[in-house]
Amino acid sequence: MITSVKNEKIKTLKKLHQRKYRKQTNTFLIEGSHLIEEALSSNWITKEIIISEEVSVPETADNLPVTQVTKQVFKELSFTASPQGIMAVVEMKKDNAVNGEVVVLLDAIQDPGNLGTIIRTADAAGVDGIVLGEGCVDLYNDKVIRATQGSIFHLPILHAELEAETVRLKQSDYTVWATALEKAENYKKLPVPQKTAIIFGNEGAGVKESLLEKADERVTIPILGKAESLNVSIAAGVLLYHLKN
């Protein structure tokens, strides 16, 4: 039982709240029983469980190292105001190639909630993979992970330079759609390609021009009311379900 927040192990774990230490150790923290069960049932490597003194270790984690801490120490490590008393250290997964019928490319998505929700939505819609371009918020940010509700563990997520990835996908017979507000076609008026790579852009600036130029089609969702635009994660939901169903 670790009782002090000054304990060296606790200091080391607390450093995983910072992106640079996550990158250095190739590990990240997840918190809460649901996320931990999702990690344990996936092909990601869970390295360690940390539990508060009043919490039992899940049966599925029986073979893993367990660190028990007091409520006060756990609160120091927790990302939330009302901790569930269980977290885990998970090893980052090496990037995989993404293939399949529908691939999502994300250009500088900066809001953690948006990125996490897009990943969750893509998982729900049956998308085959996601490519994160430069400028995207850290995939292993706690707010991103919580917003995915475990979907981070369900589908390939690749970090890549989007212009090069767009070229690669076009060479592999993908039709590239890019979302845009101007000079764009209503998505419902276009035939659904056999293989689609769809680019969603930054919350404020949209898809950058160099990527728009590489797209086969610029697509838009009609705005029927007075809103200027749709939130990017909502737009992703509309278009991904259209492409997959």
Side-chain angles (χ1 to χ4, degrees):
M1 172 84 71
I2 296 178
T3 60
S4 172
V5 295
K6 295 181 180 179
N7 179 282
E8 285 303 315
K9 184 174 184 64
I10 300 306
K11 288 181 181 178
T12 300
L13 289 169
K14 186 71 182 287
K15 285 180 178 179
L16 293 178
H17 286 222
Q18 300 173 51
R19 183 176 190 169
K20 69 175 181 177
Y21 288 106
R22 293 194 290 268
K23 289 183 75 173
Q24 282 178 16
T25 61
N26 202 44
T27 60
F28 61 102
L29 288 173
I30 59 173
E31 183 175 357
S33 54
H34 173 68
L35 279 173
I36 288 168
E37 289 298 336
E38 291 289 339
L40 291 172
S41 62
S42 74
N43 57 3
W44 291 54
I45 296 170
T46 302
K47 299 179 74 71
E48 181 181 1
I49 302 289
I50 300 99
I51 57 168
S52 184
E53 55 194 312
E54 78 283 5
V55 174
S56 300
V57 181
E59 288 182 11
T60 47
D62 275 349
N63 60 335
L64 292 172
V66 176
T67 298
Q68 192 174 41
V69 302
T70 62
K71 282 185 182 181
Q72 180 190 359
V73 171
F74 193 91
K75 200 165 187 179
E76 179 72 15
L77 290 174
S78 176
F79 297 100
T80 62
S82 303
Q84 292 183 30
I86 185 165
M87 59 192 346
V89 179
V90 181
E91 189 175 297
M92 293 178 184
K93 201 170 182 188
K94 288 184 179 177
D95 293 333
N96 299 299
V98 292
N99 298 290
E101 291 179 357
V102 177
V103 172
V104 172
L105 282 69
L106 299 179
D107 177 26
I109 300 297
Q110 293 180 333
D111 182 85
N114 282 340
L115 178 55
T117 301
I118 292 169
I119 292 169
R120 182 181 180 183
T121 303
D123 181 22
V127 165
D128 299 287
I130 295 174
V131 182
L132 303 181
E134 289 180 19
C136 282
V137 62
D138 181 20
L139 175 63
Y140 301 105
N141 174 303
D142 174 67
K143 290 179 181 177
V144 173
I145 294 168
R146 276 188 282 145
T148 74
Q149 284 291 301
S151 290
I152 186 175
F153 302 118
H154 298 166
L155 71 173
I157 302 175
L158 173 73
H159 290 82
E161 202 284 312
L162 289 189
E163 292 186 32
E165 190 65 12
T166 300
V167 171
R168 184 190 76 80
L169 289 163
K170 289 179 81 165
Q171 289 171 345
S172 299
D173 299 322
Y174 282 82
T175 298
V176 176
W177 283 12
T179 54
L181 293 175
E182 298 176 355
K183 300 178 184 176
E185 190 73 50
N186 182 334
Y187 75 98
K188 289 184 178 179
K189 294 182 179 179
L190 295 170
V192 173
Q194 189 170 359
K195 293 166 71 177
T196 314
I198 182 165
I199 310 170
F200 296 96
N202 174 268
E203 291 88 345
V207 177
K208 62 174 171 272
E209 189 62 34
S210 58
L211 287 169
L212 287 172
E213 289 171 2
K214 284 186 165 52
D216 298 299
E217 297 284 357
R218 300 185 188 196
V219 300
T220 192
I221 301 169
I223 301 296
L224 306 179
K226 295 181 180 179
E228 186 179 301
S229 63
L230 283 171
N231 171 278
V232 65
S233 63
I234 300 296
V238 172
L239 291 170
L240 296 180
Y241 268 91
H242 174 71
L243 290 171
K244 288 295 289 187
N245 294 280

